[in-house]
Amino acid sequence: MGPPGSGKGTQCDRLATRMGLRHLSTGELLRSEVAAGSELGRRVATTMVSGSLVPDELIVDVVLTRVAAAVGAGYLLDGFPRSSSQAHALLDGPVPPDRVIVLEVAGNELVRRMLARAAIEGRADDTAEIIAHRLAVYRESVLPVVEILAARGPVTRIDAGRAPDVVAAEITAALETE
Ligand code: ADP
């Protein structure tokens, strides 16, 4: 878990490679559906560009199917759950998560990182106005989900305002000690 720009994708890529887990990024999944012009992609495109959350009914089954398929390898969810109904679907589903890691970064640093990323990747939702909206969506809709997860299992909060190597080392240490 973590706000946009907190480094979820970067850290998940590393962790997935190192631990042999399947990296399931809902943002990447939805962007590839949009790029492919699938029916799902067509239904979510406008919402994604606006920086709001896509409707639960369009994402929950897709994610749970992939989680179930990753049962042997283990999975790393990036960008899910983002609403209370997504959280309950995951917790009550066939393979609930063992651990929750929350990456915490100050708002001004998040904006700086996302504007820098926009210059490189040109993501349609990395403009100043939409970034502000995505941060508000995180604070208002996604942060309460952390509390739902915390009621059901261990949650580790990491200061992710530091260099990627430092953050990765701290995530690894947290996974090994708790
Ligand atoms: P960010 O970098 O803002 O965390 P992601 O790449 O994870 O963004 O997701 C991009 C967009 O995809 C979100 O702004 C939202 O529109 C949609 N999205 C991704 N995951 C979910 C989800 N679990 N529920 C609803 N919408 C989602």
Side-chain angles (χ1 to χ4, degrees), residues 73-138:
Y75 67 88
L76 204 49
L77 264 181
D78 162 5
F80 188 98
R82 265 166 144 123
S83 69
S84 67
S85 92
Q86 291 179 15
H88 290 296
L90 180 66
L91 290 168
D92 299 335
V95 197
D98 295 321
R99 297 289 301 252
V100 177
I101 308 272
V102 183
L103 302 182
E104 298 183 321
V105 182
N108 52 356
E109 169 66 5
L110 293 172
V111 173
R112 193 194 65 73
R113 289 181 184 184
M114 282 188 279
L115 290 175
R117 179 170 76 185
I120 299 164
E121 293 180 9
R123 250 176 71 167
D125 57 353
D126 271 348
T127 68
E129 202 180 22
I130 298 169
I131 286 169
H133 178 59
R134 283 158 61 207
L135 291 175
V137 167
Y138 184 79

Side-chain angles (χ1 to χ4, degrees), residues 62-76:
V62 178
V63 171
L64 290 190
T65 303
R66 301 206 178 199
V67 163
V71 67
Y75 67 88
L76 204 49

Side-chain angles (χ1 to χ4, degrees), residues 4 8 26-27 30-31 48 52 54 79-80 82 86 123 134:
K8 297 186 296 290
T26 51
L30 292 171
R31 277 190 289 279
M48 286 184 72
S52 294
V54 309
F80 188 98
R82 265 166 144 123
Q86 291 179 15
R123 250 176 71 167
R134 283 158 61 207

